[in-house]
Amino acid sequence: MSKRTRASGERPAARIDPLGEPSEMVAIIDFGSQYTQLIARRIRELGVYSEILMPDVSANILARRGPAAIILSGGPASVHHPDSPTCDPDIFELDVPVLGICYGMQLMARTLGGRVLGADAAEYGHTSIEVRDRSGLFHGLADRLAVWMSHGDRVEELPPGFRATATSPGSPVAAMADPDRRRYGLQFHPEVVHTPDGTEMLANFLFRIAGCRGDWTMASFVEAEVAGLRETVGDDRVLCAMSGGVDSSVLACLLDRAIGDRLQCVFVDNGLLRKGEASEVADTFREHHKLNLECIDASDEFLRALRGVHSPERKRRIIGETFIRVFERAVGELGEFKYLAQGTLYPDVVESHSAFGGPSAVIKTHHNVGGLPERIGFDLIEPFRHLFKDEVRKVGEELGLPRRVIWRHPFPGPGLAVRVIGPVTRKKLRLLREADAVFIDELRQAGLYDEVWQAFAVLLSGKAVGVMGDERTYAGVVALRAVTSRDGMTADWARLPHEAVGRAANRIMNEVDGVNRVVYDISSKPPGTIEWE
Ligand code: XMP
């Protein structure tokens, strides 16, 4: 076993994002709005790299990052509340364009000497604004625009140098501007779809006001990242645990392009994967993409450790621990590595750093692969630390990954173990794999696979009575689950066409031995969860 693998208990020495500074960056200061990440995404969709920063960032530090523009996000607080978040007032002294959105506008107005009126001025939902000044943010737009409001406070008196550029029924200042100093405010949310011209307003801010070029694309990201990875890694070797999911697959291909043979991928077949998945990963990445990939069949070890276990949390713990044991053993045989690559995404980073992260940060912890980095003393390489999921998919497209891999539904680390209710056996897994494959096949055939966030079959723990020919049967029950969701944090059951569900159910009862009943799960999350265990 290598020295590094033996260093169990050691914390990783560093977390590295090899991306150099993109040439153009917009800083978004987060005051806790549910829409902050959406602002970041909209800006990036316009081809400008954006980053979310905490409100306590100082003007000095911000200036050193050299942002092309600054956006102050909305937030749930009132500027009148003594604990409401503020930002360093010197930020308004920087020679950088600033756009305040909702709370961000009120904060800017108050800091620069205006007056903000409290609670009874609230406006929520759809409304329209009258544009007074069609230069600046409203360039090229109509006089009357539909917008989405969600605010308690409003600006009553403009700060010196500003003028109102739009009004709404509830806000004499629905938008404000001080074009000389390039300070702008919107009382409503341009980042949400309910403000149809919102993207145009953001584009006006970026390109007409801040003079951005908008050349940040996934192709440029890949190019910069490949160069950064080469420089960071040098002559060392990198280890990458592949799961078959989108993030680790794209990660492996990106690293492969950057460092080729100095990347070693490891794929552990825990015996809890979907039908054909293990061989598909081997085929796709070893045969087709020629990755340096070690596939380890550890299904016996996992199933032995899970024998007789009922509790979902114990299942997760056992799977996590077994994974680490198998992985460490395998890595020990593969030589020395300096780095471990992980597919950490931006929302995880933002949530875990944000003062307003809320419950999401807590819920996610149990979803990470069993504490791997903490156990093994590698430096971590996380090239996607600043990307959203859809951007990772675009990187995958750039790298030529198959569509099937890029658009695969999320799959939990503990796999089918949390979809067999109660103790897991090979027999139950076989049955579930068949049922799941039929359901997915029907969804693909009906063109519904890409319409849902996740779809899968679950094998329930009891049996049900049925009739087949002249005989009564007593056999397994399969639940079908399909949900729509934006990020997995909340979800609704998918209103699949009855015919599609009916066809899947019929085929499962006819084709899968040991099933005589199929039910469709119509629980939303909350109060349910997406998985059954
Ligand atoms: P729940 O069931 O909590 O799932 O609504 C939300 C999302 O997380 C996935 N999930 C997991 N992913 N390890 C994972 O890697 C886990 O233990 C785990 N449990 C749930 C689930 O499939 C859904 O996408």
Side-chain angles (χ1 to χ4, degrees), residues 316 366-367 410-414 419 453-454 488 525 529-531:
R316 280 194 171 78
H366 78 279
H367 292 169
F411 186 62
R419 294 180 180 172
W453 167 265
Q454 262 174 300
K525 170 186 181 176
T529 47
I530 294 175
E531 304 292 342

Side-chain angles (χ1 to χ4, degrees), residues 463-476 514-517:
K463 289 189 171 187
V465 173
V467 59
M468 205 169 268
D470 291 335
E471 299 213 356
R472 282 170 83 77
T473 57
Y474 188 50
V515 182
N516 67 1
R517 195 171 290 256

Side-chain angles (χ1 to χ4, degrees), residues 368-384:
N368 298 333
V369 180
L372 186 59
E374 281 73 18
R375 282 280 306 267
I376 312 180
F378 300 111
D379 286 353
L380 279 185
I381 285 196
E382 298 178 314
F384 302 153

Side-chain angles (χ1 to χ4, degrees), residues 320-374:
E321 287 165 4
T322 310
F323 179 81
I324 290 173
R325 211 169 44 238
V326 170
F327 192 77
E328 280 186 335
R329 210 166 50 219
V331 171
E333 287 160 13
L334 291 167
E336 295 268 343
F337 296 93
K338 179 160 188 212
Y339 298 105
L340 177 73
Q342 281 219 323
T344 314
L345 300 187
Y346 198 40
D348 302 326
V349 178
V350 178
E351 274 159 21
S352 57
H353 286 189
S354 168
F356 316 100
S360 54
V362 182
I363 293 166
K364 281 213 171 147
T365 53
H366 78 279
H367 292 169
N368 298 333
V369 180
L372 186 59
E374 281 73 18

Side-chain angles (χ1 to χ4, degrees), residues 182-257:
R182 298 189 294 174
R183 303 284 176 261
Y184 294 82
L186 295 174
Q187 177 67 85
F188 53 88
H189 289 275
E191 68 275 22
V192 304
V193 288
H194 312 295
T195 301
D197 297 301
T199 304
E200 210 45 51
M201 296 171 203
L202 292 173
N204 281 336
F205 178 63
L206 295 177
F207 304 118
R208 301 188 69 82
I209 294 165
C212 290
R213 291 184 306 279
D215 53 9
W216 194 70
T217 62
M218 283 304 119
S220 68
F221 171 86
V222 168
E223 198 182 309
E225 199 75 15
V226 163
L229 280 164
R230 280 187 190 143
E231 195 178 317
T232 304
V233 173
D235 292 331
D236 288 307
R237 292 175 76 210
V238 179
L239 193 60
C240 175
M242 287 188 77
S243 68
V246 185
D247 305 338
S248 66
S249 300
V250 179
L251 178 64
C253 288
L254 178 70
L255 281 157
D256 179 59
R257 178 170 293 189

